[in-house]
Amino acid sequence: MIEPNKREGSGAMFDGIAARYDLLNRIISLGIDQSWRKKTVAALEIDGEARVLDLATGTADLAIMVARQHPAAQLVGLDPSRNMLAVGTRKIQEAGLDARITLTEGDAQALPFPAHSFDSICMAFGIRNVPDRAQALREMARVTKPGGRIAILELAEPRGGALGAMARFHIHTVVPWVGSLLSGAREYRYLQRSIAAFPPKEEFAALMSECGLTVLFAEALTFGVATLYVATPKKES
Ligand SMILES: C[S@@+](CC[C@H](N)C(=O)[O-])C[C@H]1O[C@@H](n2cnc3c(N)ncnc32)[C@H](O)[C@@H]1O
């Protein structure tokens, strides 16, 4: 039985794998995760001294990438997992970015920020873990400035065709096997199950639209292994 505070996908579950998370990420995604993050950063269209929120920041890879590419941007990274944030804090210090990136413990469903306080928001591989995704999307719409960009990167069930079949084999067979060798088997079974349970692209884009966001585009990446959703808050009437 899963302990309530170790609900699958929760910060407590990620506490348990934080020390190995970055290494596992690179191995199981064959390094492609960083190219997806680059696309996510580009989609934010950050201009000058922007204030950017990285939700489910984990070990802060995306926040660090934004800070390196946009030297005038200020970042806040939010995540409920103290251990993931501890790894992130170390990486930010090593990168000399502590004056520009602040990490904070928190939940995407109840953001501790006033309305319209960020120019853009990004979230990589995080929305799948949030129990009430609609609430998190409404919170994103609330804290983003009018005209600001929201970029959500999430894994998906690969499409049909030979390359899609290879990608499915990788996710359903290779990933749980490598994951169980290097980390907890349960966490990597969860990864596989939660990807399969995540709504198809059109359905998730429709949910974004119901939650106060205008979806600008939703792009399938690498044979549909991941999807990048880009939106802006709906104009208040
Ligand atoms: C797969 S990791 C992604 C980390 C990072 N964004 C990256 O690109 O590597 C998922 C993260 O979602 C976080 N998470 C789980 N529930 C959350 C919630 N309700 N609100 C915000 N983050 C959450 C976990 O703690 C974990 O760090």
Side-chain angles (χ1 to χ4, degrees):
M1 202 186 94
I2 300 166
E3 295 164 45
N5 66 345
K6 289 218 175 160
R7 180 189 58 72
E8 291 193 319
S10 67
M13 190 196 91
F14 279 94
D15 276 341
I17 58 169
R20 289 148 295 170
Y21 176 80
D22 283 352
L23 172 68
L24 278 161
N25 232 356
R26 296 297 177 275
I27 294 175
I28 66 184
S29 79
L30 311 170
I32 301 172
D33 58 319
Q34 284 296 71
S35 71
W36 294 337
R37 286 194 184 87
K38 277 190 195 131
K39 264 190 169 279
T40 307
V41 176
L44 293 174
E45 297 191 341
I46 292 168
D47 194 15
E49 295 174 6
R51 217 169 113 73
V52 182
L53 173 62
D54 180 28
L55 284 178
T57 193
T59 60
D61 270 350
L62 190 56
I64 290 172
M65 191 180 275
V66 173
R68 283 193 171 135
Q69 288 189 18
H70 298 282
Q74 288 288 332
L75 284 113
V76 176
L78 178 139
D79 198 287
S81 165
R82 204 169 282 184
N83 292 357
M84 293 286 272
L85 292 178
V87 176
T89 301
R90 204 169 53 236
K91 284 162 63 179
I92 289 165
Q93 281 164 357
E94 281 164 11
L97 291 168
D98 24 348
R100 295 183 39 226
I101 307 178
T102 308
L103 296 186
T104 183
E105 221 177 300
D107 188 322
Q109 298 160 116
L111 295 177
F113 309 111
H116 309 157
S117 45
F118 290 94
D119 296 284
S120 7
I121 299 187
C122 49
M123 186 177 205
F125 317 119
I127 194 72
R128 197 167 24 91
N129 304 305
V130 176
D132 188 344
R133 293 180 193 133
Q135 174 60 19
L137 292 170
R138 282 192 292 269
E139 280 290 82
M140 291 183 213
R142 180 181 68 79
V143 305
T144 308
K145 288 180 188 167
R149 284 229 168 171
I150 295 160
I152 300 176
L153 176 65
E154 193 47 272
L155 294 168
E157 193 66 1
R159 291 193 292 246
L163 293 170
M166 273 169 62
R168 277 197 301 280
F169 175 77
H170 182 75
I171 287 179
H172 292 297
T173 310
V174 180
V175 168
W177 182 71
V178 175
S180 64
L181 279 184
L182 298 178
S183 187
R186 181 167 79 77
E187 285 81 357
Y188 285 86
R189 277 200 305 273
Y190 161 72
L191 174 68
Q192 182 193 346
R193 269 203 313 274
S194 63
I195 293 170
F198 195 74
K201 191 170 80 168
E202 294 70 24
E203 205 179 301
F204 187 68
L207 180 67
M208 292 175 78
S209 179
E210 282 164 27
C211 295
L213 299 169
T214 299
V215 179
L216 303 175
F217 62 89
E219 186 185 348
L221 308 174
T222 321
F223 321 119
V225 175
T227 310
L228 174 61
Y229 301 88
V230 179
T232 189
K234 276 190 180 152
K235 289 197 175 80
E236 284 165 22
S237 47

